[in-house]
Amino acid sequence: MIKWIYKPAGLCPVQSEGYFRDRYFYFRGRHDRITIDFAPSKQDWRDDKNIVEYTLKQTSTPYEAGYYPYWKCILLIYWGCWLYVWDKKILKR
């Protein structure tokens, strides 16, 4: 389950923060790219330590990602969380 610090908001960039499975995540859409980063804590993310980053979407126009609608951002965040869980399961094999 996601514990939101704040849900997707803003324009250029659109951003969101929260926790998923006790891992901090930072979601951002800017220019033509939408990404989500996972780190053990917010401080680790700030210090650029132990970050796992996924590119969730590459848009076709230069500034489209910064104006992505709220509901699509929510879906992408859940998609990013699924990718993170899936990667962790693969790494344990």
Side-chain angles (χ1 to χ4, degrees):
M1 193 58 144
I2 292 177
K3 295 178 186 171
W4 299 98
I5 295 173
Y6 63 90
K7 292 183 178 181
L11 296 173
C12 284
V14 59
Q15 301 176 77
S16 181
E17 291 181 65
Y19 289 90
F20 176 73
R21 291 191 163 193
D22 296 325
R23 298 285 187 187
Y24 171 79
F25 74 82
Y26 174 71
F27 171 87
R28 180 177 177 154
R30 186 165 187 226
H31 298 301
D32 63 347
R33 195 167 150 222
I34 299 173
T35 61
I36 191 166
D37 299 342
F38 290 92
S41 69
K42 189 171 186 172
Q43 190 60 48
D44 284 332
W45 182 81
R46 286 182 182 153
D47 294 341
D48 203 21
K49 294 180 184 174
N50 302 316
I51 296 174
V52 177
E53 180 180 277
Y54 300 99
T55 298
L56 302 174
K57 179 125 178 102
Q58 193 78 31
T59 62
S60 57
T61 56
Y63 299 104
E64 183 180 356
Y67 294 99
Y68 233 58
Y70 172 84
W71 69 272
K72 286 185 179 181
C73 290
I74 293 288
L75 292 176
L76 286 174
I77 290 168
Y78 278 104
W79 173 250
C81 291
W82 185 87
L83 290 173
Y84 182 74
V85 168
W86 181 251
D87 273 357
K88 294 301 173 192
K89 284 182 181 178
I90 289 173
L91 292 174
K92 287 182 181 179
R93 290 184 186 173

